[in-house]
Amino acid sequence: VFVRTRRHLLVYDAGPAFSPEADAGSRVLLPLLRWRGEPRIDLLMLSHRDTDHVGGAAALLAGSVVGALSSSLVDEHPLLVRARAVDIPHRRCEMGQRWRWDGVDFEVLHPTAADHALVPPPRPNALSCVLRVRGSGASVLLTGDIEAAQEAALLVRTPQEGLRADILFVPHHGSRTSSTTPFIEAVAPTSALVQAAYRSRFGHPAPDVVARYEARGIALSRSDRCGAFTLQSDGGQRCEREAGRRYWHHRAGPAAPG
Ligand SMILES: [Zn+2]
């Protein structure tokens, strides 16, 4: 996810590795940065260590200018070792961190310092950095792969309205582990975006999770159907496969009858 303010760029997660030679960093994100004319990534936030989130990160560190790194990775993780070698500062993502870029507020809501200190360490999903971004036009909640227990913890400790967001990045690719009803109702988004692989072998997003959003009138967009998806704080939205369709493009989605 690219979060662009007037003068800053935050990149949240770096996508998967496809093979030892190819990953989302080299094949998707670096070309996209170049095409957009982005001179640098001010902050690269890696939600957690699973390869579908950090697989492209080494390519970003090697092929772009990264100002700083935030993550839930342990200090010995190879990506952090690499970042240290080239003097990119790293800060563990932790509840309470906040900053403002160009009038847009960023706040880390999860994990807590206590979560980071747990022995044995929690599963990677449970440590996903949760980031809330609030501009004058719209607010967004980025959730990584948090599951029901983290959603419940967020509900307990986040002050009322603290989870509210216009746009929710559906946790854990729309998996059944997440998107509990109280969480969806606390965030109360008007639209939600599922990031899932095309024909996901995990069945993401789960049909009952999709139904949970639809039952509340929340417009659900899916990366497996849109490819790139653009949201602007003035409300503009662009689903790339729809907006940029060519006659030779395969129409993703339910197969046509017959
Ligand atoms: Zn994931």
Side-chain angles (χ1 to χ4, degrees):
V1 178
F2 287 8
V3 182
R4 192 79 186 74
T5 66
R6 187 172 295 277
R7 284 189 306 272
H8 293 84
L9 175 67
L10 180 142
V11 175
Y12 181 96
D13 282 342
F18 310 125
S19 75
E21 294 80 35
D23 57 71
S26 60
R27 296 292 164 94
V28 180
L29 300 178
L30 287 176
L32 184 59
L33 288 166
R34 229 166 279 142
W35 176 75
R36 289 180 50 89
E38 298 285 359
R40 63 186 255 127
I41 297 169
D42 296 285
L43 180 66
L44 174 60
M45 180 174 273
L46 300 172
S47 66
H48 65 298
R49 68 164 195 238
D50 286 353
T51 53
D52 55 325
H53 297 256
V54 301
L60 288 182
L61 293 179
S64 65
V65 179
V66 176
L69 204 57
S70 171
S71 79
S72 58
L73 307 180
V74 293
D75 285 340
E76 310 76 55
H77 191 284
L79 280 168
L80 296 192
V81 173
R82 192 175 304 210
R84 274 196 297 277
V86 291
D87 290 328
I88 299 173
H90 171 255
R91 188 158 76 142
R92 213 167 61 172
C93 64
E94 201 174 293
M95 185 187 90
Q97 292 167 346
R98 54 184 90 207
W99 66 96
R100 172 176 270 208
W101 283 347
D102 313 323
V104 178
D105 292 308
F106 293 76
E107 185 180 6
V108 177
L109 301 181
H110 183 80
T112 63
D115 294 328
H116 279 296
L118 285 171
V119 182
R123 296 189 322 113
N125 284 355
L127 285 179
S128 292
C129 314
V130 174
L131 181 67
R132 189 181 188 223
V133 184
R134 255 183 324 158
S136 55
S139 52
V140 177
L141 190 65
L142 292 155
T143 55
D145 282 354
I146 58 165
E147 300 183 7
Q150 292 78 53
E151 292 181 354
L154 277 164
L155 284 171
V156 168
R157 65 165 191 258
T158 312
Q160 210 183 359
E161 288 292 300
L163 285 176
R164 254 284 304 143
D166 301 309
I167 298 143
L168 171 65
F169 281 74
V170 173
H172 200 193
H173 317 285
S175 154
R176 216 164 256 134
T177 58
S178 314
S179 293
T180 54
T181 297
F183 181 74
I184 296 175
E185 289 180 349
V187 180
T190 49
S191 49
L193 182 67
V194 175
Q195 294 171 285
Y198 175 65
R199 287 187 179 158
S200 157
R201 65 195 159 108
F202 301 107
H204 296 152
D208 42 339
V209 169
V210 171
R212 230 171 277 160
Y213 286 92
E214 285 175 347
R216 288 165 181 79
I218 299 164
L220 196 68
S221 302
R222 302 169 49 155
S223 66
D224 58 336
R225 302 218 174 132
C226 284
F229 193 82
T230 311
L231 290 158
Q232 282 175 284
S233 50
D234 63 5
Q237 300 198 357
R238 181 180 167 98
C239 171
E240 202 60 39
R241 268 176 182 270
E242 295 298 331
R245 178 179 299 285
R246 298 290 181 268
Y247 69 86
W248 59 83
H249 282 160
H250 172 67
R251 188 176 287 272

